């Protein structure tokens, strides 16, 4: 069989395998708070995520992607070694996917981007030496291990503390919800608008100015606020409603808000993170078609490649995502719709804050940190420290684990696959 066909075939298989594991880990942790709070069932979460993740990946996944995630090494070093580069990309895909599957098997939410970055570091070091790595980029990744969860925890803590003080602890929580919820939704809708147009739709190259972006985001906030105000118009206390019963009704309102937030986040995730699965695949395709002495640092993403990534993500969530959902939604701290809403609210604000300032935030780490922050608002006893310790350890291990696995697979494949 032609060597090019073999490498291309393996790239498609490994890319689909990677997408499957992204769905099992990344998407699962994004939907975990909604399932853990009983806002949706596991089946409903899979259905919702399937629509919005695939929609984000296929419709606005981007025409062009960077083949080297986060610019972690200089691809030009491989200009005269196209075979080694392609094998390295194959090895990186396989290594990251294997590590994500191991993490999902243990129910540990880890960063997909960090897994693929660790993997490409591995084959670059073994091929070109330690000097081939951009260590400033690596430093930013290490910093994100601390910045992401701490920032998410702090903001989510404040959000839930506010909800509890203004609504749940009030003598008339239903009446307070009617007054406070529209304001909360205005802020959330505006933040989601920024995330949607700045991150979720960035691959469409809309060319929006700062004023236009702000205007659209604020318009989304106003629209959401009005819609919630109308929805709550008949949301009133009945004579038989005790304070507990009122709070239970309030939780149902926040369950709906939580679902809307999860839909937006799934769409933005699909549009951005599909590149983690199909970026290296696109790079291999581009390099197989490029002239001698060239290595593509950017590559086109045909619709079939985006569809492959989207389908893989959805299948991964449906078949392998339950353990990570359980960890995020139930095992870190007890979740309710108001707590889940606060965690997702905090994560959204943190993600927007980080992307605006250029901070190296991991979405997975932000969300987990936000869940921890919600738990802290109820006291340290509300947290499962053992679970948190295991998650933290997996974060520190992800980059070196991806690198070691990649080196192993690279040394095998570079001697097994035929050269073109």
């Amino acid at each position: 069989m032609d060597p090019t066909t073999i490498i291309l075939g393996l790239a498609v298989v490994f890319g689909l395998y990677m997408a499957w594991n992204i769905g099992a880990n990344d998407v699962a942790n994004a939907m975990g708070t909604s399932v853990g709070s009983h806002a949706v069932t596991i089946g409903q979460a899979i259905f919702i995520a399937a629509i919005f993740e695939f929609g984000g990946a296929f419709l606005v996944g981007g025409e062009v992607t960077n083949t080297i995630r986060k610019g972690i090494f200089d691809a030009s070093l491989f200009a005269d070694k196209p075979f080694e580069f392609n094998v390295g990309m194959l090895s990186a895909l396989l290594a990251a996917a294997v590590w994500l599957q191991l993490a999902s098997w243990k129910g540990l939410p880890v960063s997909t981007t960090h897994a693929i970055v660790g993997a490409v570091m591995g084959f670059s070091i073994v091929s070109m030496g330690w000097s081939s790595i951009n260590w400033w980029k690596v430093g930013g990744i290490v910093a994100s291990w601390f910045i992401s969860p701490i920032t998410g925890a702090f903001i989510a803590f404040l959000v839930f503390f506010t909800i509890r003080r203004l609504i749940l602890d009030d003598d008339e929580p239903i009446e307070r919800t009617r007054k406070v919820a529209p304001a909360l939704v205005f802020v959330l809708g505006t933040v989601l608008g920024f995330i949607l147009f700045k991150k979720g739709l960035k691959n469409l190259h809309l060319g929006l100015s700062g004023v236009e972006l702000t205007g659209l985001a604020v318009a989304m906030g106003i629209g959401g606020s009005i819609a919630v105000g109308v929805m709550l118009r008949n949301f009133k206390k009945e004579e038989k409603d005790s304070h507990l019963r009122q709070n239970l009704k309030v939780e149902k309102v926040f369950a709906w808000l939580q679902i809307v937030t999860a839909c937006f986040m799934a769409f933005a995730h699909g549009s951005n993170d599909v590149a983690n699965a199909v970026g290296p695949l696109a790079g291999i395709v581009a390099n197989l078609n490029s002239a001698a002495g060239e290595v593509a640092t950017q590559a086109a993403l045909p619709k079939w490649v985006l569809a492959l990534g989207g389908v893989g993500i959805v299948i991964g969530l449906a078949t392998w995502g339950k353990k990570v959902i359980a960890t995020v939604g139930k095992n870190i701290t007890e979740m309710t719709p108001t707590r889940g809403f606060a965690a997702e609210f905090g994560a959204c604000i943190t993600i927007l804050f980080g992307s605006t300032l250029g901070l190296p935030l991991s979405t997975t780490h932000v969300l987990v940190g936000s869940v921890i922050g919600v738990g802290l608002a109820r006291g340290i006893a509300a947290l499962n420290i053992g679970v948190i310790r295991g998650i933290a350890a997996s974060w520190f291990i992800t980059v070196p684990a991806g690198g070691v696995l990649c080196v192993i697979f690279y040394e095998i494949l570079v001697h097994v696959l035929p050269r073109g």
Side-chain angles (χ1 to χ4, degrees), residues 101-134:
Q101 185 169 22
L102 289 172
S104 300
W105 176 54
K106 289 294 186 179
L108 297 170
V110 297
S111 170
T112 298
T113 302
H114 290 185
I116 195 71
V117 163
V120 297
M121 282 179 63
F123 93 79
S124 181
I125 290 172
V126 77
S127 299
M128 293 295 176
W130 294 87
S131 62
S132 65
I133 302 298
N134 184 337

PDB file of all heavy atoms in Angstrom, residues 101-134:
ATOM      1  N   GLN A 101      -8.336   9.172  27.549  1.00  0.00           N
ATOM      2  CA  GLN A 101      -9.173   8.009  27.846  1.00  0.00           C
ATOM      3  C   GLN A 101      -8.878   7.464  29.240  1.00  0.00           C
ATOM      4  O   GLN A 101      -9.798   7.093  29.970  1.00  0.00           O
ATOM      5  CB  GLN A 101      -8.956   6.924  26.796  1.00  0.00           C
ATOM      6  CG  GLN A 101      -9.907   5.735  27.018  1.00  0.00           C
ATOM      7  CD  GLN A 101      -9.920   4.765  25.860  1.00  0.00           C
ATOM      8  OE1 GLN A 101      -8.973   4.712  25.082  1.00  0.00           O
ATOM      9  NE2 GLN A 101     -10.986   3.989  25.736  1.00  0.00           N
ATOM     10  N   LEU A 102      -7.609   7.429  29.611  1.00  0.00           N
ATOM     11  CA  LEU A 102      -7.254   6.979  30.962  1.00  0.00           C
ATOM     12  C   LEU A 102      -7.864   7.907  32.021  1.00  0.00           C
ATOM     13  O   LEU A 102      -8.393   7.449  33.033  1.00  0.00           O
ATOM     14  CB  LEU A 102      -5.736   6.934  31.111  1.00  0.00           C
ATOM     15  CG  LEU A 102      -5.002   5.831  30.337  1.00  0.00           C
ATOM     16  CD1 LEU A 102      -3.490   6.044  30.418  1.00  0.00           C
ATOM     17  CD2 LEU A 102      -5.373   4.452  30.871  1.00  0.00           C
ATOM     18  N   ALA A 103      -7.784   9.222  31.766  1.00  0.00           N
ATOM     19  CA  ALA A 103      -8.346  10.186  32.710  1.00  0.00           C
ATOM     20  C   ALA A 103      -9.859  10.029  32.807  1.00  0.00           C
ATOM     21  O   ALA A 103     -10.432  10.065  33.906  1.00  0.00           O
ATOM     22  CB  ALA A 103      -7.984  11.608  32.279  1.00  0.00           C
ATOM     23  N   SER A 104     -10.521   9.843  31.676  1.00  0.00           N
ATOM     24  CA  SER A 104     -11.979   9.674  31.679  1.00  0.00           C
ATOM     25  C   SER A 104     -12.383   8.384  32.386  1.00  0.00           C
ATOM     26  O   SER A 104     -13.407   8.339  33.070  1.00  0.00           O
ATOM     27  CB  SER A 104     -12.513   9.673  30.240  1.00  0.00           C
ATOM     28  OG  SER A 104     -12.220  10.886  29.588  1.00  0.00           O
ATOM     29  N   TRP A 105     -11.593   7.348  32.201  1.00  0.00           N
ATOM     30  CA  TRP A 105     -11.852   6.069  32.870  1.00  0.00           C
ATOM     31  C   TRP A 105     -11.828   6.249  34.386  1.00  0.00           C
ATOM     32  O   TRP A 105     -12.608   5.645  35.115  1.00  0.00           O
ATOM     33  CB  TRP A 105     -10.807   5.049  32.419  1.00  0.00           C
ATOM     34  CG  TRP A 105     -10.897   3.720  33.110  1.00  0.00           C
ATOM     35  CD1 TRP A 105     -11.990   2.910  33.198  1.00  0.00           C
ATOM     36  CD2 TRP A 105      -9.831   3.046  33.802  1.00  0.00           C
ATOM     37  NE1 TRP A 105     -11.679   1.766  33.902  1.00  0.00           N
ATOM     38  CE2 TRP A 105     -10.368   1.820  34.292  1.00  0.00           C
ATOM     39  CE3 TRP A 105      -8.500   3.343  34.046  1.00  0.00           C
ATOM     40  CZ2 TRP A 105      -9.604   0.924  35.014  1.00  0.00           C
ATOM     41  CZ3 TRP A 105      -7.737   2.431  34.755  1.00  0.00           C
ATOM     42  CH2 TRP A 105      -8.287   1.247  35.232  1.00  0.00           C
ATOM     43  N   LYS A 106     -10.934   7.117  34.865  1.00  0.00           N
ATOM     44  CA  LYS A 106     -10.853   7.406  36.292  1.00  0.00           C
ATOM     45  C   LYS A 106     -11.803   8.528  36.717  1.00  0.00           C
ATOM     46  O   LYS A 106     -11.859   8.876  37.908  1.00  0.00           O
ATOM     47  CB  LYS A 106      -9.417   7.796  36.658  1.00  0.00           C
ATOM     48  CG  LYS A 106      -8.424   6.646  36.609  1.00  0.00           C
ATOM     49  CD  LYS A 106      -8.731   5.615  37.686  1.00  0.00           C
ATOM     50  CE  LYS A 106      -7.665   4.547  37.746  1.00  0.00           C
ATOM     51  NZ  LYS A 106      -7.956   3.541  38.824  1.00  0.00           N
ATOM     52  N   GLY A 107     -12.524   9.099  35.752  1.00  0.00           N
ATOM     53  CA  GLY A 107     -13.450  10.178  36.075  1.00  0.00           C
ATOM     54  C   GLY A 107     -12.761  11.489  36.371  1.00  0.00           C
ATOM     55  O   GLY A 107     -13.314  12.341  37.080  1.00  0.00           O
ATOM     56  N   LEU A 108     -11.558  11.711  35.807  1.00  0.00           N
ATOM     57  CA  LEU A 108     -10.778  12.915  36.091  1.00  0.00           C
ATOM     58  C   LEU A 108     -10.888  13.912  34.946  1.00  0.00           C
ATOM     59  O   LEU A 108     -10.500  13.605  33.813  1.00  0.00           O
ATOM     60  CB  LEU A 108      -9.306  12.549  36.304  1.00  0.00           C
ATOM     61  CG  LEU A 108      -9.021  11.641  37.501  1.00  0.00           C
ATOM     62  CD1 LEU A 108      -7.577  11.159  37.462  1.00  0.00           C
ATOM     63  CD2 LEU A 108      -9.307  12.371  38.811  1.00  0.00           C
ATOM     64  N   PRO A 109     -11.399  15.113  35.200  1.00  0.00           N
ATOM     65  CA  PRO A 109     -11.467  16.143  34.157  1.00  0.00           C
ATOM     66  C   PRO A 109     -10.105  16.798  33.968  1.00  0.00           C
ATOM     67  O   PRO A 109      -9.564  17.420  34.875  1.00  0.00           O
ATOM     68  CB  PRO A 109     -12.486  17.144  34.724  1.00  0.00           C
ATOM     69  CG  PRO A 109     -12.385  16.997  36.212  1.00  0.00           C
ATOM     70  CD  PRO A 109     -12.019  15.566  36.468  1.00  0.00           C
ATOM     71  N   VAL A 110      -9.517  16.647  32.785  1.00  0.00           N
ATOM     72  CA  VAL A 110      -8.199  17.224  32.506  1.00  0.00           C
ATOM     73  C   VAL A 110      -8.297  18.117  31.271  1.00  0.00           C
ATOM     74  O   VAL A 110      -9.287  18.093  30.544  1.00  0.00           O
ATOM     75  CB  VAL A 110      -7.129  16.130  32.289  1.00  0.00           C
ATOM     76  CG1 VAL A 110      -6.956  15.299  33.548  1.00  0.00           C
ATOM     77  CG2 VAL A 110      -7.489  15.234  31.103  1.00  0.00           C
ATOM     78  N   SER A 111      -7.254  18.889  31.029  1.00  0.00           N
ATOM     79  CA  SER A 111      -7.241  19.813  29.899  1.00  0.00           C
ATOM     80  C   SER A 111      -6.848  19.085  28.616  1.00  0.00           C
ATOM     81  O   SER A 111      -5.754  18.531  28.515  1.00  0.00           O
ATOM     82  CB  SER A 111      -6.262  20.957  30.167  1.00  0.00           C
ATOM     83  OG  SER A 111      -6.077  21.729  29.002  1.00  0.00           O
ATOM     84  N   THR A 112      -7.740  19.117  27.629  1.00  0.00           N
ATOM     85  CA  THR A 112      -7.443  18.518  26.330  1.00  0.00           C
ATOM     86  C   THR A 112      -6.270  19.223  25.660  1.00  0.00           C
ATOM     87  O   THR A 112      -5.378  18.580  25.093  1.00  0.00           O
ATOM     88  CB  THR A 112      -8.683  18.612  25.422  1.00  0.00           C
ATOM     89  OG1 THR A 112      -9.741  17.868  26.013  1.00  0.00           O
ATOM     90  CG2 THR A 112      -8.398  18.067  24.044  1.00  0.00           C
ATOM     91  N   THR A 113      -6.278  20.548  25.726  1.00  0.00           N
ATOM     92  CA  THR A 113      -5.197  21.312  25.105  1.00  0.00           C
ATOM     93  C   THR A 113      -3.851  20.976  25.734  1.00  0.00           C
ATOM     94  O   THR A 113      -2.843  20.810  25.041  1.00  0.00           O
ATOM     95  CB  THR A 113      -5.470  22.821  25.230  1.00  0.00           C
ATOM     96  OG1 THR A 113      -6.716  23.123  24.620  1.00  0.00           O
ATOM     97  CG2 THR A 113      -4.370  23.624  24.548  1.00  0.00           C
ATOM     98  N   HIS A 114      -3.809  20.853  27.054  1.00  0.00           N
ATOM     99  CA  HIS A 114      -2.559  20.516  27.727  1.00  0.00           C
ATOM    100  C   HIS A 114      -2.080  19.119  27.329  1.00  0.00           C
ATOM    101  O   HIS A 114      -0.872  18.875  27.235  1.00  0.00           O
ATOM    102  CB  HIS A 114      -2.733  20.603  29.245  1.00  0.00           C
ATOM    103  CG  HIS A 114      -2.905  22.010  29.725  1.00  0.00           C
ATOM    104  ND1 HIS A 114      -2.982  22.339  31.058  1.00  0.00           N
ATOM    105  CD2 HIS A 114      -3.017  23.183  29.048  1.00  0.00           C
ATOM    106  CE1 HIS A 114      -3.139  23.654  31.171  1.00  0.00           C
ATOM    107  NE2 HIS A 114      -3.163  24.178  29.967  1.00  0.00           N
ATOM    108  N   ALA A 115      -3.023  18.210  27.107  1.00  0.00           N
ATOM    109  CA  ALA A 115      -2.644  16.853  26.696  1.00  0.00           C
ATOM    110  C   ALA A 115      -1.969  16.869  25.332  1.00  0.00           C
ATOM    111  O   ALA A 115      -0.929  16.220  25.127  1.00  0.00           O
ATOM    112  CB  ALA A 115      -3.873  15.945  26.679  1.00  0.00           C
ATOM    113  N   ILE A 116      -2.533  17.610  24.376  1.00  0.00           N
ATOM    114  CA  ILE A 116      -1.950  17.635  23.029  1.00  0.00           C
ATOM    115  C   ILE A 116      -0.659  18.442  23.024  1.00  0.00           C
ATOM    116  O   ILE A 116       0.294  18.115  22.304  1.00  0.00           O
ATOM    117  CB  ILE A 116      -2.967  18.196  21.997  1.00  0.00           C
ATOM    118  CG1 ILE A 116      -2.511  17.877  20.559  1.00  0.00           C
ATOM    119  CG2 ILE A 116      -3.180  19.676  22.160  1.00  0.00           C
ATOM    120  CD1 ILE A 116      -2.616  16.441  20.179  1.00  0.00           C
ATOM    121  N   VAL A 117      -0.578  19.488  23.865  1.00  0.00           N
ATOM    122  CA  VAL A 117       0.655  20.263  23.965  1.00  0.00           C
ATOM    123  C   VAL A 117       1.784  19.402  24.530  1.00  0.00           C
ATOM    124  O   VAL A 117       2.914  19.405  24.022  1.00  0.00           O
ATOM    125  CB  VAL A 117       0.448  21.517  24.842  1.00  0.00           C
ATOM    126  CG1 VAL A 117       1.778  22.099  25.289  1.00  0.00           C
ATOM    127  CG2 VAL A 117      -0.339  22.568  24.074  1.00  0.00           C
ATOM    128  N   GLY A 118       1.493  18.657  25.586  1.00  0.00           N
ATOM    129  CA  GLY A 118       2.498  17.766  26.152  1.00  0.00           C
ATOM    130  C   GLY A 118       2.965  16.745  25.136  1.00  0.00           C
ATOM    131  O   GLY A 118       4.162  16.416  25.064  1.00  0.00           O
ATOM    132  N   ALA A 119       2.032  16.262  24.325  1.00  0.00           N
ATOM    133  CA  ALA A 119       2.381  15.252  23.329  1.00  0.00           C
ATOM    134  C   ALA A 119       3.302  15.823  22.247  1.00  0.00           C
ATOM    135  O   ALA A 119       4.317  15.203  21.902  1.00  0.00           O
ATOM    136  CB  ALA A 119       1.105  14.693  22.700  1.00  0.00           C
ATOM    137  N   VAL A 120       2.973  16.993  21.692  1.00  0.00           N
ATOM    138  CA  VAL A 120       3.827  17.545  20.641  1.00  0.00           C
ATOM    139  C   VAL A 120       5.189  17.944  21.203  1.00  0.00           C
ATOM    140  O   VAL A 120       6.206  17.897  20.494  1.00  0.00           O
ATOM    141  CB  VAL A 120       3.158  18.745  19.926  1.00  0.00           C
ATOM    142  CG1 VAL A 120       1.902  18.312  19.218  1.00  0.00           C
ATOM    143  CG2 VAL A 120       2.890  19.888  20.873  1.00  0.00           C
ATOM    144  N   MET A 121       5.230  18.330  22.480  1.00  0.00           N
ATOM    145  CA  MET A 121       6.523  18.581  23.121  1.00  0.00           C
ATOM    146  C   MET A 121       7.374  17.320  23.114  1.00  0.00           C
ATOM    147  O   MET A 121       8.589  17.370  22.856  1.00  0.00           O
ATOM    148  CB  MET A 121       6.316  19.052  24.565  1.00  0.00           C
ATOM    149  CG  MET A 121       5.901  20.490  24.723  1.00  0.00           C
ATOM    150  SD  MET A 121       5.655  20.905  26.473  1.00  0.00           S
ATOM    151  CE  MET A 121       7.317  20.644  27.130  1.00  0.00           C
ATOM    152  N   GLY A 122       6.742  16.192  23.393  1.00  0.00           N
ATOM    153  CA  GLY A 122       7.475  14.934  23.461  1.00  0.00           C
ATOM    154  C   GLY A 122       8.181  14.598  22.168  1.00  0.00           C
ATOM    155  O   GLY A 122       9.388  14.305  22.159  1.00  0.00           O
ATOM    156  N   PHE A 123       7.466  14.656  21.031  1.00  0.00           N
ATOM    157  CA  PHE A 123       8.115  14.250  19.783  1.00  0.00           C
ATOM    158  C   PHE A 123       9.088  15.326  19.278  1.00  0.00           C
ATOM    159  O   PHE A 123      10.071  15.017  18.596  1.00  0.00           O
ATOM    160  CB  PHE A 123       7.083  13.858  18.722  1.00  0.00           C
ATOM    161  CG  PHE A 123       6.651  14.933  17.773  1.00  0.00           C
ATOM    162  CD1 PHE A 123       7.438  15.292  16.695  1.00  0.00           C
ATOM    163  CD2 PHE A 123       5.426  15.567  17.931  1.00  0.00           C
ATOM    164  CE1 PHE A 123       7.029  16.262  15.790  1.00  0.00           C
ATOM    165  CE2 PHE A 123       5.003  16.530  17.047  1.00  0.00           C
ATOM    166  CZ  PHE A 123       5.810  16.885  15.958  1.00  0.00           C
ATOM    167  N   SER A 124       8.839  16.597  19.640  1.00  0.00           N
ATOM    168  CA  SER A 124       9.781  17.639  19.244  1.00  0.00           C
ATOM    169  C   SER A 124      11.109  17.486  19.988  1.00  0.00           C
ATOM    170  O   SER A 124      12.192  17.613  19.406  1.00  0.00           O
ATOM    171  CB  SER A 124       9.191  19.023  19.525  1.00  0.00           C
ATOM    172  OG  SER A 124      10.075  20.039  19.120  1.00  0.00           O
ATOM    173  N   ILE A 125      11.027  17.180  21.281  1.00  0.00           N
ATOM    174  CA  ILE A 125      12.246  17.012  22.083  1.00  0.00           C
ATOM    175  C   ILE A 125      13.046  15.804  21.618  1.00  0.00           C
ATOM    176  O   ILE A 125      14.270  15.864  21.465  1.00  0.00           O
ATOM    177  CB  ILE A 125      11.890  16.882  23.575  1.00  0.00           C
ATOM    178  CG1 ILE A 125      11.388  18.226  24.115  1.00  0.00           C
ATOM    179  CG2 ILE A 125      13.102  16.412  24.387  1.00  0.00           C
ATOM    180  CD1 ILE A 125      10.821  18.155  25.521  1.00  0.00           C
ATOM    181  N   VAL A 126      12.353  14.685  21.371  1.00  0.00           N
ATOM    182  CA  VAL A 126      13.074  13.476  20.979  1.00  0.00           C
ATOM    183  C   VAL A 126      13.657  13.598  19.569  1.00  0.00           C
ATOM    184  O   VAL A 126      14.656  12.946  19.231  1.00  0.00           O
ATOM    185  CB  VAL A 126      12.152  12.239  21.079  1.00  0.00           C
ATOM    186  CG1 VAL A 126      11.182  12.156  19.918  1.00  0.00           C
ATOM    187  CG2 VAL A 126      12.974  10.954  21.165  1.00  0.00           C
ATOM    188  N   SER A 127      13.042  14.465  18.742  1.00  0.00           N
ATOM    189  CA  SER A 127      13.524  14.619  17.366  1.00  0.00           C
ATOM    190  C   SER A 127      14.560  15.727  17.224  1.00  0.00           C
ATOM    191  O   SER A 127      15.552  15.575  16.502  1.00  0.00           O
ATOM    192  CB  SER A 127      12.349  14.935  16.427  1.00  0.00           C
ATOM    193  OG  SER A 127      11.403  13.903  16.433  1.00  0.00           O
ATOM    194  N   MET A 128      14.308  16.859  17.912  1.00  0.00           N
ATOM    195  CA  MET A 128      15.123  18.053  17.702  1.00  0.00           C
ATOM    196  C   MET A 128      15.829  18.572  18.952  1.00  0.00           C
ATOM    197  O   MET A 128      16.542  19.559  18.889  1.00  0.00           O
ATOM    198  CB  MET A 128      14.248  19.176  17.118  1.00  0.00           C
ATOM    199  CG  MET A 128      13.765  18.878  15.726  1.00  0.00           C
ATOM    200  SD  MET A 128      15.162  18.786  14.556  1.00  0.00           S
ATOM    201  CE  MET A 128      14.304  18.317  13.061  1.00  0.00           C
ATOM    202  N   GLY A 129      15.580  17.947  20.086  1.00  0.00           N
ATOM    203  CA  GLY A 129      16.240  18.397  21.300  1.00  0.00           C
ATOM    204  C   GLY A 129      15.422  19.391  22.109  1.00  0.00           C
ATOM    205  O   GLY A 129      14.408  19.922  21.649  1.00  0.00           O
ATOM    206  N   TRP A 130      15.891  19.660  23.311  1.00  0.00           N
ATOM    207  CA  TRP A 130      15.169  20.525  24.242  1.00  0.00           C
ATOM    208  C   TRP A 130      15.081  21.965  23.749  1.00  0.00           C
ATOM    209  O   TRP A 130      14.139  22.692  24.077  1.00  0.00           O
ATOM    210  CB  TRP A 130      15.848  20.493  25.613  1.00  0.00           C
ATOM    211  CG  TRP A 130      15.763  19.151  26.275  1.00  0.00           C
ATOM    212  CD1 TRP A 130      16.634  18.114  26.119  1.00  0.00           C
ATOM    213  CD2 TRP A 130      14.753  18.692  27.167  1.00  0.00           C
ATOM    214  NE1 TRP A 130      16.225  17.024  26.854  1.00  0.00           N
ATOM    215  CE2 TRP A 130      15.069  17.351  27.523  1.00  0.00           C
ATOM    216  CE3 TRP A 130      13.610  19.275  27.715  1.00  0.00           C
ATOM    217  CZ2 TRP A 130      14.293  16.600  28.392  1.00  0.00           C
ATOM    218  CZ3 TRP A 130      12.827  18.530  28.581  1.00  0.00           C
ATOM    219  CH2 TRP A 130      13.165  17.210  28.909  1.00  0.00           C
ATOM    220  N   SER A 131      16.039  22.392  22.956  1.00  0.00           N
ATOM    221  CA  SER A 131      16.040  23.782  22.488  1.00  0.00           C
ATOM    222  C   SER A 131      14.948  24.064  21.467  1.00  0.00           C
ATOM    223  O   SER A 131      14.696  25.231  21.141  1.00  0.00           O
ATOM    224  CB  SER A 131      17.407  24.121  21.876  1.00  0.00           C
ATOM    225  OG  SER A 131      17.672  23.291  20.753  1.00  0.00           O
ATOM    226  N   SER A 132      14.292  23.028  20.966  1.00  0.00           N
ATOM    227  CA  SER A 132      13.237  23.235  19.967  1.00  0.00           C
ATOM    228  C   SER A 132      11.932  23.725  20.593  1.00  0.00           C
ATOM    229  O   SER A 132      11.025  24.157  19.878  1.00  0.00           O
ATOM    230  CB  SER A 132      12.971  21.921  19.219  1.00  0.00           C
ATOM    231  OG  SER A 132      12.441  20.931  20.100  1.00  0.00           O
ATOM    232  N   ILE A 133      11.836  23.684  21.912  1.00  0.00           N
ATOM    233  CA  ILE A 133      10.596  24.036  22.611  1.00  0.00           C
ATOM    234  C   ILE A 133      10.572  25.515  22.968  1.00  0.00           C
ATOM    235  O   ILE A 133      11.575  26.094  23.376  1.00  0.00           O
ATOM    236  CB  ILE A 133      10.443  23.195  23.893  1.00  0.00           C
ATOM    237  CG1 ILE A 133      10.454  21.703  23.556  1.00  0.00           C
ATOM    238  CG2 ILE A 133       9.158  23.561  24.633  1.00  0.00           C
ATOM    239  CD1 ILE A 133       9.330  21.264  22.654  1.00  0.00           C
ATOM    240  N   ASN A 134       9.413  26.128  22.815  1.00  0.00           N
ATOM    241  CA  ASN A 134       9.202  27.506  23.256  1.00  0.00           C
ATOM    242  C   ASN A 134       8.852  27.464  24.745  1.00  0.00           C
ATOM    243  O   ASN A 134       7.698  27.287  25.123  1.00  0.00           O
ATOM    244  CB  ASN A 134       8.072  28.155  22.448  1.00  0.00           C
ATOM    245  CG  ASN A 134       7.877  29.619  22.784  1.00  0.00           C
ATOM    246  OD1 ASN A 134       8.250  30.083  23.863  1.00  0.00           O
ATOM    247  ND2 ASN A 134       7.269  30.351  21.863  1.00  0.00           N
TER     248      ASN A 134
END
